[in-house]
Amino acid sequence: MPELPEVESVRIGLQQWLLHEPTRIVSVRVLDPRILGTTSQRTVPSGAAEFFSARLVGAEPLSVERRGKFMWLPVRLADGDVTSALSVHLGMSGQFRVHTGSDALHPHTRAVFDVERASGEPFELRFVDQRIFGHLGVDALVPSYGYAVPSGAAHIALDPLDPAFDGEAVARALGRKRTGMKAALLDQTLVSGIGNIYADEALHAAGVHPLASTETTRISRVRRVLEAAREVMELSLSQGGTSFDALYVNVNGESGYFARSLQVYGRTGEPCRRCSTPIERLTVAGRSSHVCPRCQKRPRSRR
DNA sequence: ATTTTGTCCTGCGAGC
DNA sequence: TGCTCGCAGGACAAAA
């Protein structure tokens, strides 16, 4: 389940492969057009795959950017246009792999980019995604929070690792919501990059219950939750590292995953690492949530 | 208008 | 053994 740290690892991996020297996309094959659809519209119009491929043929990646879990590659299209980007969302199970043409195709491969480079052999960048919650697209770049981002991500808030992230302003915005703390953290329009795992981890680190009301939680605690989110994601980044090998641009599940440092997520029944109380599981915002009942007191006014 | 719920997907493991 | 069922979850449309 890629969240911000995993996506950042993939971003760095793509940088190494695509920007270390000039590269060009010489052909694109969409094996499953559903990867071009949106989360709620997986049936794409016929011709979408051809359109997507045609736009990217001859494109040169200029950089690899990220905001929260959204990633994109500004490109110079074949006609010289530099106002578009290849948009990428890894969804639940998306990953990039680097191959040569003779390598067997993984059955979950959804798209293949044939990449030519200034020196060295060409390679294939394959987007593999078992569950097809991921997304690929070409979008116009538009302004958002002072950055140029693909139109599909313009509504996504800055993430806690962004230099321009304003924790104080975000904490105040959270306080104006009428929901639970965890639901608010998962809302990518307030603060981005936090998914189910890091929401649980940040709340535990800050001693805040997932159902705590955003209205009544003191702003100092809200700030602490945001700070904890930033810390746990930075820790994951430093641990997960960028040890991609020749095959994986980077992983999002198997090796190098950051599970070993988790304090509460997936630890139902196991002792809290801080106080030894068994971790409990509950459902919040339709997602499994993990709390230490002692470190995270349940709010009186639950939501 | 804001908040909550359901849906998209696939594979896996539990239960019968 | 082989089937069904529930679960996992990011993002967003639909419902409340």
Side-chain angles (χ1 to χ4, degrees):
Chain A
M1 300 142 252
E3 296 186 25
L4 187 154
E6 293 80 11
V7 179
E8 176 64 10
S9 293
V10 174
R11 188 190 72 80
I12 291 169
L14 285 175
Q15 252 181 0
Q16 302 290 329
W17 280 100
L18 296 173
L19 298 172
H20 189 255
E21 62 181 323
T23 56
R24 181 191 305 272
I25 297 169
V26 292
S27 69
V28 182
R29 285 164 282 159
V30 178
L31 306 184
D32 191 327
R34 289 177 297 176
I35 205 64
L36 303 176
T38 65
T39 49
S40 51
Q41 191 58 50
R42 283 293 167 188
T43 50
V44 300
S46 65
E50 292 75 11
F51 183 74
F52 173 79
S53 304
R55 286 208 74 187
L56 286 175
V57 166
E60 294 172 51
L62 301 176
S63 64
V64 188
E65 313 285 335
R66 180 191 57 73
R67 170 180 290 178
K69 299 170 237 181
F70 287 76
M71 187 162 52
W72 66 94
L73 293 79
V75 289
R76 175 177 292 108
L77 297 179
D79 64 4
D81 180 274
V82 290
T83 64
S84 305
L86 166 60
S87 300
V88 178
H89 199 295
L90 301 178
M92 282 293 297
S93 51
Q95 52 184 226
F96 278 107
R97 300 186 183 192
V98 172
H99 285 278
T100 62
S102 56
D103 293 334
L105 212 56
H106 188 285
H108 297 141
T109 307
R110 310 304 181 186
V112 179
F113 301 88
D114 290 297
V115 180
E116 182 182 83
R117 46 183 165 177
S119 63
E121 293 297 305
F123 61 89
E124 292 187 8
L125 189 60
R126 299 180 180 175
F127 190 71
V128 179
D129 183 8
Q130 180 200 101
R131 298 190 199 180
I132 323 186
F133 273 29
H135 169 77
L136 297 175
V138 179
D139 292 311
L141 289 167
V142 301
S144 165
Y145 291 92
Y147 295 88
V149 311
S151 53
H155 63 294
I156 299 300
L158 299 180
D159 62 65
L161 267 47
D162 194 297
F165 181 77
D166 184 347
E168 184 61 36
V170 172
R172 280 199 300 270
L174 281 164
R176 288 192 289 270
K177 304 290 280 188
R178 310 182 140 270
T179 184
M181 281 296 298
K182 177 157 179 181
L185 289 177
L186 295 176
D187 179 353
Q188 305 293 304
T189 67
L190 291 167
V191 47
S192 70
I194 303 175
N196 202 39
I197 296 174
Y198 293 106
D200 280 6
E201 293 298 309
L203 288 167
H204 176 264
V208 174
H209 194 280
L211 292 173
S213 158
T214 49
E215 306 150 85
T216 57
T217 303
R218 350 168 55 110
I219 193 164
S220 58
R221 293 225 129 201
V222 178
R223 269 201 309 266
R224 204 190 301 178
V225 172
L226 293 171
E227 189 62 17
R230 186 184 62 77
E231 286 172 4
V232 72
M233 291 194 292
E234 277 184 347
L235 182 67
S236 291
L237 256 179
S238 66
Q239 288 185 352
T242 52
S243 58
F244 57 94
D245 58 29
L247 281 188
Y248 294 79
V249 168
N250 219 314
V251 289
N252 55 37
E254 299 88 2
S255 70
Y257 204 63
F258 317 124
R260 66 199 123 134
S261 62
L262 296 180
Q263 302 291 307
V264 284
Y265 184 84
R267 299 191 63 243
T268 309
E270 295 174 43
C272 172
R273 297 195 205 278
R274 190 191 296 146
C275 75
S276 300
T277 306
I279 301 299
E280 293 179 359
R281 179 190 177 282
L282 59 154
T283 298
V284 177
R287 295 285 171 258
S288 68
S289 298
H290 309 76
V291 296
C292 168
R294 185 165 169 189
C295 298
Q296 299 163 272
K297 296 232 177 61
R298 198 183 187 93
R300 219 166 274 103
S301 56
R302 66 183 64 167
R303 298 198 58 103

